[in-house]
């Protein structure tokens, strides 16, 4: 038989002779396409739990998902409008689960990164994960927080943004002692060296640029055997709260040295029922007395609550659980009093007020009958070599603010910011300070770094602990620090 070979066919024939592997490979890929051993499996989880929705809030950030599949997989984005605000670390890959001893099974971690929302309207998109005939979807949103609830009451986000920076009325209504007339409320108020509180001081705080005051109050010396708060004491507390509100300041009212080494309010799981009963009685009285006050009054459930052994590092077993139970008791008790307290913004603290990852990871945000009215508080005295938390500063060799100090403090603030963004909840730094003898210009560097660090990353406001505004004259005690502390938040 005679073949008529054209130049083109001759060229193709030569290719087959010279490079047979090219053609065999292509045929082999089609013939030996990967098929999983059994049905296709696909799972997408976050922190070990299945995930179907993520809200990045207004600040964006990163979320890490774990993908596992026994088949090749891919990821796609869909939504109304541009989806470029959400970035994925991977779009496709090979199986993570193999039935082959030479190919170990390892999960694939997929990072989702959302850019800040800024003032743009809320947005969303759908992330679809596919493997074979299996598909999982995750709805990703960025939502502007509601400015108010249905009743018009200010949300916790907006309250936090409005407060920005504040001062503590320290060592005053929280002071305790036994060397004076226990029925004299002003003796209590001044027993730790502070003068009687006046309206003028709150006016000076507001004039200096602060937006809020935290009023620590110790209640147990002023309660009778039936846990009833004595009238002269709650009258005085109400008067001081009024000073703050009269100045246009936000006011945080708390339960202070009832916690701690000398207090009765502790994270003791063995005695939780009796502690919870007394705690509920106390907050029922406070919430009832202050029910008529508006949204600028915020309640803080407890201060630095410790376990029965006063453990500052890590609590004994059950300590974290006890804090979470009492936090829930606080929220439930206040809400049950109705009226304005159905909407009031409430604050719960981590164990001991600590801001480590362990403290945040073990805090369970209380369930609430109304959304958007809870905040979380921690305290921060880092770096201790600048705050003198452990009494380690040498007065003859006072420190200056350094990049090392910035790195140390920034690392802790990052933990707090991560918690705030992952849980879509504002965070209060209820206490912070620098050692008073350090030069004012060095304290100012610390203050501005602290209050500016979280801007654009999370909703955070800071309250300085010790005296910045003279209690008698109303003058700035450390003008550079005051100005920097306020400037950093604005």
């Amino acid at each position: 038989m005679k073949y008529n070979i054209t130049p083109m066919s001759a060229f193709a024939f030569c290719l087959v002779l010279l490079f047979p592997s090219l053609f065999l490979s292509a045929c082999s890929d089609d013939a030996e396409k990967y098929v999983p051993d059994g049905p296709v499996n696909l799972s997408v989880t976050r922190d070990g739990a299945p995930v179907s929705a993520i809200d990045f809030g207004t600040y964006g950030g990163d979320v890490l998902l774990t993908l596992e599949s026994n088949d090749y997989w891919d990821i796609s984005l869909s939504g109304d409008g541009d989806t470029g605000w959400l970035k994925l670390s991977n779009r496709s890959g090979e199986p993570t689960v193999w039935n082959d001893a030479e190919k170990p099974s390892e999960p694939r971690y997929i990072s989702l990164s959302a850019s800040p929302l800024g003032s743009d309207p809320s947005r969303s998109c759908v992330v679809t994960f596919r493997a074979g005939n299996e598909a999982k979807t995750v709805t990703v949103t960025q939502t502007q927080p509601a400015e108010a609830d249905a009743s018009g009451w200010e949300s916790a986000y907006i309250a936090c943004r409005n407060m920005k920076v504040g001062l503590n009325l320290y060592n005053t209504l929280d002071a305790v002692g036994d060397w004076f007339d226990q029925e004299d409320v002003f003796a209590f108020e001044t027993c730790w060296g502070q003068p009687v509180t006046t309206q003028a001081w709150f006016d000076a705080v507001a004039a200096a640029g602060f937006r809020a005051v935290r009023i620590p109050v110790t209640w147990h010396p002023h309660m009778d055997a039936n846990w009833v708060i004595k009238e002269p004491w709650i009258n005085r507390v109400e008067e001081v709260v009024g000073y703050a509100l009269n100045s246009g300041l936000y006011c945080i009212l708390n339960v202070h040295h009832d916690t701690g080494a000398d207090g009765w309010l502790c994270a003791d799981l063995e005695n939780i029922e009796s502690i919870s009963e007394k705690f509920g009685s106390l907050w029922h009285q406070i919430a009832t007395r202050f029910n008529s006050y508006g949204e600028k009054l915020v309640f803080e459930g407890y201060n630095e609550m410790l376990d029965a052994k006063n453990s500052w590092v890590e609590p004994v077993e059950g300590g974290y659980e006890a804090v979470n139970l009492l936090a829930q008791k606080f929220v439930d008790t206040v809400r049950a009093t109705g009226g304005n307290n159905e909407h009031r913004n409430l604050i719960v603290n981590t164990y001991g007020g600590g801001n480590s990852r362990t403290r945040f990871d073990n805090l369970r945000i209380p369930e609430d009958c109304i959304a958007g009215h809870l905040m979380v508080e921690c305290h921060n005295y880092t770096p201790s070599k600048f705050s003198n938390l452990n009494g380690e500063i040498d007065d003859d060799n006072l420190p200056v603010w350094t990049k090392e100090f910035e790195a140390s403090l920034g690392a802790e603030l990052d933990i707090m910011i991560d918690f705030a963004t992952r849980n879509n909840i504002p965070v209060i730094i209820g206490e912070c300070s620098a050692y008073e003898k350090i030069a004012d210009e060095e304290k100012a560097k610390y203050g501005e770094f602290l209050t500016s660090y979280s801007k654009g990353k999370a909703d955070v406001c800071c309250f300085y602990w010790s005296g910045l505004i003279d209690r008698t004259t109303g003058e700035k005690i450390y003008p550079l620090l005051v100005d920097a502390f306020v400037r950093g938040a604005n």
Side-chain angles (χ1 to χ4, degrees):
M1 188 172 185
K2 187 176 180 179
Y3 294 96
N4 200 4
I5 303 178
T6 65
M8 202 64 186
S9 60
F11 177 72
F13 181 70
C14 290
L15 283 177
V16 170
L17 292 177
L18 290 172
F19 304 107
S21 61
L22 291 174
F23 295 88
L24 290 174
S25 174
C27 295
S28 174
D29 282 348
D30 289 338
E32 299 178 12
K33 187 175 181 180
Y34 177 81
V35 177
D37 184 12
V40 173
N41 295 317
L42 172 66
S43 73
V44 180
T45 58
R46 180 185 182 189
D47 297 331
V51 59
S52 60
I54 300 169
D55 187 351
F56 277 98
T58 59
Y59 296 103
D62 302 304
V63 167
L64 200 63
L65 303 183
T66 303
L67 183 149
E68 294 182 280
S69 178
N70 60 347
D71 201 352
Y72 285 85
W73 52 269
D74 63 77
I75 310 173
S76 61
L77 289 176
S78 60
D80 295 333
D82 179 25
T83 59
W85 55 273
L86 185 66
K87 305 296 184 184
L88 305 178
S89 60
N90 305 81
R91 290 296 187 112
S92 62
E94 62 182 17
T96 68
V97 179
W98 299 91
N99 291 311
D100 185 341
E102 295 183 0
K103 293 185 176 182
S105 298
E106 294 181 356
R108 175 58 63 91
Y109 298 103
I110 311 295
S111 174
L112 278 61
S113 301
S115 58
L117 182 58
S119 59
D120 292 341
S122 299
R123 57 194 179 191
S124 68
C125 66
V126 176
V127 184
T128 302
F129 301 79
R130 290 189 179 88
N133 59 354
E134 291 293 311
K136 305 285 185 183
T137 61
V138 178
T139 301
V140 180
T141 55
Q142 277 192 286
T143 55
Q144 291 286 2
E147 292 192 9
D149 60 28
S151 72
W153 194 279
E154 187 175 70
S155 71
Y157 268 109
I158 301 305
C160 184
R161 292 175 183 181
N162 287 341
M163 285 192 284
K164 291 188 179 180
V165 288
L167 289 182
N168 279 269
L169 182 70
Y170 77 111
N171 292 358
T172 304
L173 299 184
D174 55 319
V176 295
D178 60 3
W179 57 89
F180 49 79
D181 180 0
Q182 297 294 288
E183 301 302 320
D184 186 343
V185 294
F186 292 103
F188 267 102
E189 186 173 335
T190 59
C191 72
W192 284 2
Q194 300 302 316
V196 170
T197 310
T198 65
Q199 178 69 63
W201 182 79
F202 289 91
D203 294 342
V205 169
F210 293 98
R211 304 285 193 87
V213 169
R214 178 175 179 252
I215 300 180
V217 180
T218 302
W219 299 88
H220 69 88
H222 312 283
M223 299 167 69
D224 66 20
N226 297 314
W227 310 336
V228 175
I229 304 170
K230 297 175 183 178
E231 196 67 16
W233 182 250
I234 200 167
N235 286 344
R236 179 55 179 163
V237 172
E238 186 172 14
E239 185 175 28
V240 173
V241 167
Y243 294 159
L245 300 176
N246 291 341
S247 297
L249 297 166
Y250 281 79
C251 177
I252 295 177
L253 177 63
N254 85 348
V255 170
H256 205 75
H257 289 306
D258 297 85
T259 63
D262 299 320
W264 57 273
L265 181 55
C266 61
D268 180 6
L269 197 58
E270 291 185 5
N271 297 292
I272 194 66
E273 290 186 9
S274 59
I275 293 171
S276 180
E277 184 181 4
K278 184 175 181 178
F279 185 53
S281 173
L282 174 58
W283 265 112
H284 176 80
Q285 294 175 75
I286 299 170
T288 300
R289 181 60 173 258
F290 290 92
N291 199 327
S292 64
Y293 287 85
E295 59 194 7
K296 283 194 169 183
L297 178 61
V298 179
F299 292 159
E300 175 192 329
Y302 47 87
N303 182 46
E304 297 170 341
M305 192 188 303
L306 303 175
D307 61 23
K309 293 187 176 181
N310 298 318
S311 306
W312 278 106
V313 182
E314 284 298 307
V316 298
E317 185 176 355
Y320 285 126
E321 183 181 352
V323 168
N324 292 331
L325 289 170
L326 291 169
Q328 186 66 61
K329 180 71 173 182
F330 161 63
V331 172
D332 291 345
T333 300
V334 173
R335 295 288 183 243
T337 60
N340 285 347
N341 291 333
E342 291 181 3
H343 311 273
R344 191 172 306 283
N345 290 318
L346 306 178
I347 300 171
V348 297
N349 283 4
T350 59
Y351 176 87
N355 65 338
S356 68
R357 187 167 297 280
T358 304
R359 299 292 170 87
F360 280 113
D361 285 348
N362 282 281
L363 177 67
R364 185 172 68 243
I365 298 171
E367 295 180 4
D368 199 359
C369 58
I370 185 169
H373 288 285
L374 295 181
M375 308 183 205
V376 168
E377 182 178 315
C378 65
H379 298 166
N380 191 297
Y381 290 96
T382 298
S384 63
K385 291 182 179 179
F386 202 80
S387 67
N388 204 30
L389 179 65
N390 301 316
E392 56 199 298
I393 292 180
D394 178 3
D395 285 354
D396 294 325
N397 188 25
L398 294 171
V400 296
W401 187 247
T402 64
K403 291 295 183 182
E404 289 75 19
F405 284 158
E406 286 190 0
S408 173
L409 178 54
E412 289 199 0
L413 295 176
D414 283 338
I415 294 171
M416 176 192 67
I417 290 166
D418 176 63
F419 174 85
T421 55
R422 281 192 296 109
N423 293 280
N424 290 324
I425 194 167
V427 173
I428 309 291
I429 299 178
E431 296 180 15
C432 60
S433 75
Y435 185 46
E436 59 184 12
K437 294 183 180 181
I438 294 173
D440 195 15
E441 58 267 27
E442 297 302 325
K443 292 200 293 285
K445 296 173 187 176
Y446 153 79
E448 187 165 6
F449 179 85
L450 174 62
T451 58
S452 65
Y453 188 87
S454 302
K455 286 197 301 187
K457 301 174 185 177
D459 282 297
V460 176
C461 61
C462 300
F463 286 74
Y464 203 88
W465 173 250
S466 54
L468 296 184
I469 304 297
D470 190 280
R471 291 285 298 276
T472 302
T473 67
E475 297 296 320
K476 297 175 184 178
I477 300 174
Y478 307 110
L480 297 179
L481 170 57
V482 170
D483 293 347
F485 195 76
V486 172
R487 181 173 62 245
N490 292 313

